[in-house]
């Protein structure tokens, strides 16, 4: 499972989430970001340009894709499964889309078309990369409705797919075919995650309804195990907490006490794939932003603690992916190593006393490991490893036994659909 990073791409206005700008394909083969010429110092000669990273070879390497003129800092970029890079520019109120690809010494550009949003729209932004990498989608949110657009992968450029009542934000894919899209919809002063079925003309059905008066957002989802990370104020009205559940289960959402970090913003950005029958053993990577900077947290639902690790030097903050065997790969860029990947191996739940290890794999132009990229032991985090506390569930719901989440069912993925959500019907097809 993948996520995105910081460098100045999209507007942050998505529920207060940290800025994102480096995105990785769902399969982890390619990444794309805006890079800055002139060493990144922001001097008079600096200019922004798209850059594609190849991550599935022996070493990562970057290919610059500069156009005829520098990009604006707010330009969005997204890698496609075939190695091309989708670019989203805004000019004179129009949203322009094109596919970029290397052509020897230059950059080829295939224009896809433009979309004009109404004046009362809050803008348009790309959704996370679609599994398979053949299509790309965007949301254009208005005050009363949100339009879902297919930007790439259609027959005639940008195509209007569906109109969803309410103002939508977020976005996560619930399956490996790119059919089921979860978004957070605001209506009547409350935000609830809903599912949009792209094969049924954008049919919308509820996903998260933890409490009638709660705001329930879907932050991250793993299509293999069904594990979902949730932000909700149901257990503490007015204060969002991080919780977890499993699609299609019958147990309540859980809100572990160890994920409450005062004065920090905790954002899940990657889930270990391939754990089909044991969602509670999936490793989850957390971006933790505090007063002293950003660092990495590693947590599993079956554990009751978060392992805190220092961010490697040059980390594209918030970007990374897990391999099925439990290696966390964090893209990094420094003057010595413009394209590199730090590799973190987290112990399984059976080896909770073991050491976490961070290694550095530098791409072309790299030279050796970076300071802070290597660390041993869980005590090498920003504040050292913080002991976890027992998990808690939503007050008044069944399943208050915290140990219930630690024993996997024998034959099916177990924990958690989300009260009245008709998810088993819509996602297991």
């Amino acid at each position: 499972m993948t996520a995105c990073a910081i460098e100045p791409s999209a507007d942050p206005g998505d529920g207060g989430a940290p800025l994102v700008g480096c995105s990785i394909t769902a399969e982890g083969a390619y990444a794309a970001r805006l890079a800055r010429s002139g060493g990144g110092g922001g001097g008079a000669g600096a200019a922004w340009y798209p850059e594609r990273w190849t991550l599935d070879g022996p070493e990562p390497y970057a290919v610059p894709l500069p156009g005829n003129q520098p990009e604006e800092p707010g330009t969005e970029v997204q890698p496609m499964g075939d190695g091309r890079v989708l670019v989203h520019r805004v000019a004179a109120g129009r949203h322009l889309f094109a596919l970029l690809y290397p052509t020897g010494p230059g950059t080829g550009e295939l224009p896809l078309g433009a979309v004009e949003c109404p004046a009362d729209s809050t803008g348009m932004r790309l959704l996370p990369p679609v599994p398979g990498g053949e299509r790309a989608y965007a949301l254009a949110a208005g005050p009363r409705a949100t339009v879902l657009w297919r930007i790439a992968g259609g027959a005639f450029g940008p195509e209007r797919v569906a109109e969803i009542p309410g103002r939508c934000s977020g976005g996560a894919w619930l399956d490996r075919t790119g059919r089921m899209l979860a978004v957070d919809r605001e209506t009547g002063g409350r935000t609830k995650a809903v599912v949009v079925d792209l094969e049924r003309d954008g049919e919308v059905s509820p996903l998260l309804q933890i409490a009638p008066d709660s705001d329930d957002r879907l932050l991250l989802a793993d299509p293999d195990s069904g594990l979902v990370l949730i932000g909700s104020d149901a257990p503490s009205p007015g204060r969002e907490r991080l919780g977890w559940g499993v699609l299609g289960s019958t147990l309540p959402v859980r809100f572990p006490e160890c994920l409450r970090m005062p004065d920090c913003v905790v954002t899940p950005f990657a889930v270990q794939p391939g754990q089909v029958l044991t969602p509670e053993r999936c490793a989850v990577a957390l971006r933790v932003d505090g007063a002293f900077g950003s660092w990495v947290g590693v947590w599993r639902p079956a554990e009751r603690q978060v392992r805190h690790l220092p961010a490697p030097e040059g980390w594209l903050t918030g970007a990374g992916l897990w391999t099925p065997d439990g290696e966390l790969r964090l893209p990094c860029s420094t003057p010595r190593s413009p394209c590199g990947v730090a590799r973190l191996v987290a112990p399984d739940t059976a080896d909770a006393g073991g050491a976490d290890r961070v290694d550095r794999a530098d791409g072309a132009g790299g030279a050796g490991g970076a300071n802070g990229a290597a660390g041993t032991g869980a005590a090498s985090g920003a504040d050292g490893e913080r002991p976890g506390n027992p998990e808690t569930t939503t007050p008044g719901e069944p399943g208050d036994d915290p140990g219930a989440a630690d024993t996997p069912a024998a034959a099916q993925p177990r924990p958690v659909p989300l009260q009245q959500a008709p998810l088993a019907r819509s996602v297991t097809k």
Side-chain angles (χ1 to χ4, degrees):
M1 190 118 199
T2 66
C4 305
I6 204 169
E7 245 15 45
S9 187
D11 188 297
D14 211 15
L19 275 169
V20 295
C22 170
S23 64
I24 307 173
T25 56
E27 292 70 30
Y30 295 103
R33 67 164 186 148
L34 277 187
R36 183 183 291 181
S37 65
W48 295 102
Y49 62 90
E51 185 177 75
R52 185 195 71 190
W53 288 26
T54 299
L55 302 176
D56 60 351
E59 290 186 345
Y61 66 91
V63 176
L65 296 171
N68 295 326
Q69 60 185 25
E71 303 291 349
E72 295 294 326
T75 299
E76 285 187 290
V77 293
Q78 185 174 115
M80 304 296 291
D82 59 5
R84 293 183 293 180
V85 172
L86 175 65
V87 60
H88 169 206
R89 306 177 177 115
V90 181
R94 304 175 74 226
H95 297 265
L96 310 173
F97 299 93
L99 289 171
L100 307 180
Y101 53 93
T103 57
T107 300
E109 182 167 330
L110 176 63
L112 296 177
V115 174
E116 292 194 33
C117 293
D120 59 355
S121 165
T122 57
M124 191 175 197
R125 61 175 185 83
L126 295 175
L127 287 168
V130 182
E134 296 179 355
R135 293 169 287 149
Y137 292 86
L139 285 179
R144 292 173 295 277
T146 300
V147 178
L148 174 65
W149 291 84
R150 179 167 52 221
I151 302 301
F156 307 104
E159 301 176 42
R160 187 184 178 110
V161 175
E163 182 171 310
I164 308 165
R167 184 182 184 277
C168 295
S169 59
W173 298 100
L174 302 182
D175 62 348
R176 289 291 181 192
T177 66
R179 171 182 174 178
M180 295 293 179
L181 171 67
V183 295
D184 303 322
R185 180 175 67 174
E186 180 184 348
T187 56
R190 293 294 174 191
T191 299
K192 303 283 187 182
V194 297
V195 179
V196 182
D197 189 338
L198 301 188
E199 290 189 4
R200 293 186 178 178
D201 299 321
E203 177 184 276
V204 178
S205 57
L207 176 60
L208 296 180
Q209 298 185 21
I210 299 175
D213 297 327
S214 61
D215 291 322
D216 309 317
R217 300 188 300 122
L218 184 69
L219 305 179
L220 197 60
D222 175 49
D224 295 334
S225 63
L227 178 68
V228 291
L229 280 299
I230 294 159
S232 174
D233 64 354
S236 53
R239 297 182 62 187
E240 183 175 276
R241 289 187 56 183
L242 185 59
W244 69 280
V246 176
L247 301 179
S249 171
T250 56
L251 297 180
V253 175
R254 290 177 175 251
F255 296 89
E257 190 68 23
C258 65
L259 296 181
R260 295 184 69 178
M261 301 182 198
D263 303 319
C264 292
V265 177
V266 182
T267 308
F269 65 89
V271 177
Q272 181 184 2
Q275 313 302 303
V276 176
L277 299 181
T278 54
E280 60 281 337
R281 294 189 180 273
C282 289
V284 178
L286 308 170
R287 168 184 174 175
V288 186
D289 295 289
F292 299 102
S294 301
W295 63 93
V296 179
V298 176
W299 167 80
R300 285 184 172 90
E303 297 180 354
R304 298 178 187 177
Q305 62 182 357
V306 176
R307 304 174 187 278
H308 295 265
L309 298 166
E313 182 182 358
W315 180 35
L316 302 182
T317 311
L321 62 97
W322 287 100
T323 63
D325 58 358
E327 181 180 77
L328 178 60
R329 299 180 178 178
L330 304 174
C332 305
S333 180
T334 68
R336 289 184 300 167
S337 176
C339 177
V341 174
R343 303 172 188 270
L344 181 154
V345 179
D348 198 353
T349 51
D351 305 317
D356 300 317
R357 188 180 76 252
V358 181
D359 299 321
R360 178 82 178 203
D362 291 304
N371 294 333
T376 58
S380 58
D383 296 315
E385 179 174 332
R386 306 177 189 181
N389 296 313
E391 294 179 342
T392 59
T393 58
T394 305
E397 290 190 314
D400 285 339
D401 177 12
D406 296 337
T407 306
Q412 303 179 18
R414 31 159 319 282
V416 201
L418 319 160
Q419 205 170 355
Q420 295 127 3
L423 201 51
R425 172 187 66 79
S426 60
V427 173
T428 57
K429 293 185 178 180

